[in-house]
Amino acid sequence: MASTEKAAPAAPARPTNALDRYFKISERGSTIGTEVRGGLVTFFTMAYIIVLNPIILGGKDGTGASLASPATIAATTALVAGVLTILMGTVANFPLALATGLGINAVVAVSIAALPDMTWADAMGIVVMEGVIILILVLTGFRQAVFNAVPVWLKTAISVGIGLFIAFIGLVDSGFIRSTGVDSPPVQLGPAGSISTWPLLVFVVGLVLMVVLMAKKVRGAILISIVVTTIVAIVVESIAKVGGAFGADGTPNPAGFRLNVPKWPTTIVDTPDFGLLGHFSLFGSFHKIGVVAVVLLVFSLLLADFFDTMGTMVAVGSEAGLLDEKGNPPRTQQILVVDSIAAAAGGAAGISSNTSYIESAAGVGEGARTGLASVVTGIAFLLATFLAPLVKIIPSEAAAPALVVVGYLMVTQVSGIDWKSYEIAVPAFFTIVLMPFTYSITAGIGAGVIFYVILQVVVGKARKLHPLMWLIAAMFVLYFVRGPLSNWLG
């Protein structure tokens, strides 16, 4: 007769050394080599921020002054990203990397620094204020309480939505999806509705290579693909001479490589300039634009940081298999503390709020499960302050396939949502679709929360709503109407 006793669960792997013990590498089913590969993949998929941030922050402030030279902004961007990512790895032991937040930096540059009489230092002071406030919310337990109040299925929808979002980012960054310049249809395949350029072909080759390597379960599939595709891009550029997305005179070049032209640099090492550190004025904005305007701007930045990070850490934790039964990652409080410090640190360094990057999921897709991967990513960022010329040889077409593939892996979680229940399916649907369609994680989460509260009231379950969900929904309503509200308040 067969035994009816259940087999005892397998004992966790014993750590082999101090590094393994500290980061719980064996315990989480990983290896040091896997963590190193994962950390490098995360770096390569988000290294674009070193090049992109100087472009976004390259305009004039309200007095007509520039922030700093592109080289200074790039070096400081890499420095802060490196320090904070290492902090995330060592304090929170979570495979999450941080850098200047895209979207937030554009708001700082266009909607804050460019206001009449405002200086870059004043704008960065607002970022510091927002970071300090969000840190207080973490230390008081409010941010953790909000995170715990969100239903598990909504956290799953957030992960799926972010997966779709980062896949869309990869397709856009590579030029595979492009704007048509008209209202309808708003986007198309490539610059002419087909794969008609060398860079686009390089992206397709990289994507196919990555998918094949992953299907064959090749270790380091994502990193191998990025390196090989970059080499292919360098060869293509040396033969076809397609150039970059813009010509020497600034005219658009739809057939060119995006972000970086893949040419071997003439210099590999360059001395970094960190002159932007401390370039902020904490209260200078109050007498420039008034208390009400400052409060609204801080609120907008705070809400974006607050919920973007929540969605990102859930998505990364889910992909890594690190979430508990309530959908929470380990050491949530430490993750949120480091992320909150990052917001203030980015403003204090003069390069805009730093936040958690969803591109970290690319490293997790490569097998990263611990904070050691973040330490590797952080070290790569620090080295990039000296090796910026080398970082600039990787075009978007070589790194973007990683975002598309990881996006697919995250979207597979969609089966965990009960699509037969309207009160669950409708909020989940709007959470998922609005992230890529509005290019905003915050907008997707906000729509999902609002629809969830509305439908719970409609079906007579209002009393079962967590009190914080009412508050979150009200905050998101204010977030969605912040433009008219700002105009009304003057």
Side-chain angles (χ1 to χ4, degrees), residues 17-162:
N17 52 51
L19 189 68
D20 189 349
R21 188 178 305 109
Y22 182 84
F23 287 107
K24 301 181 179 180
I25 298 172
S26 296
E27 181 180 322
R28 295 186 181 179
S30 185
T31 65
I32 292 177
T34 300
E35 296 300 308
V36 171
R37 285 200 309 272
L40 290 175
V41 165
T42 294
F43 170 74
F44 284 128
T45 55
M46 60 185 287
Y48 63 82
I49 191 62
I50 301 173
V51 178
L52 204 54
N53 204 34
I55 296 173
I56 295 174
L57 300 181
K60 307 290 186 181
D61 62 18
T63 67
S66 299
L67 176 60
S69 69
T72 300
I73 298 175
T76 310
T77 298
L79 173 68
V80 177
V83 171
L84 291 169
T85 301
I86 290 174
L87 190 65
M88 178 66 78
T90 54
V91 172
N93 193 21
F94 197 65
L96 195 61
L98 303 96
T100 302
L102 279 177
I104 293 178
N105 56 359
V107 171
V108 171
V110 177
S111 301
I112 301 180
L115 293 172
D117 299 324
M118 283 282 282
T119 66
W120 281 107
D122 296 331
M124 295 303 168
I126 289 178
V127 174
V128 173
M129 279 189 281
E130 178 263 331
V132 171
I133 292 172
I134 205 167
L135 177 59
I136 292 172
L137 293 177
V138 171
L139 295 178
T140 56
F142 179 78
R143 199 178 185 190
Q144 175 83 50
V146 169
F147 182 75
N148 293 336
V150 177
V152 175
W153 60 263
L154 186 54
K155 291 175 182 175
T156 300
I158 290 170
S159 296
V160 174
I162 291 177

Side-chain angles (χ1 to χ4, degrees), residues 142 299 302-303 307 470-480:
F142 179 78
F299 174 74
L302 186 148
L303 207 61
F307 288 100
W470 290 98
L471 177 60
I472 299 169
M475 291 173 65
F476 272 120
V477 169
L478 292 175
Y479 176 80
F480 284 124

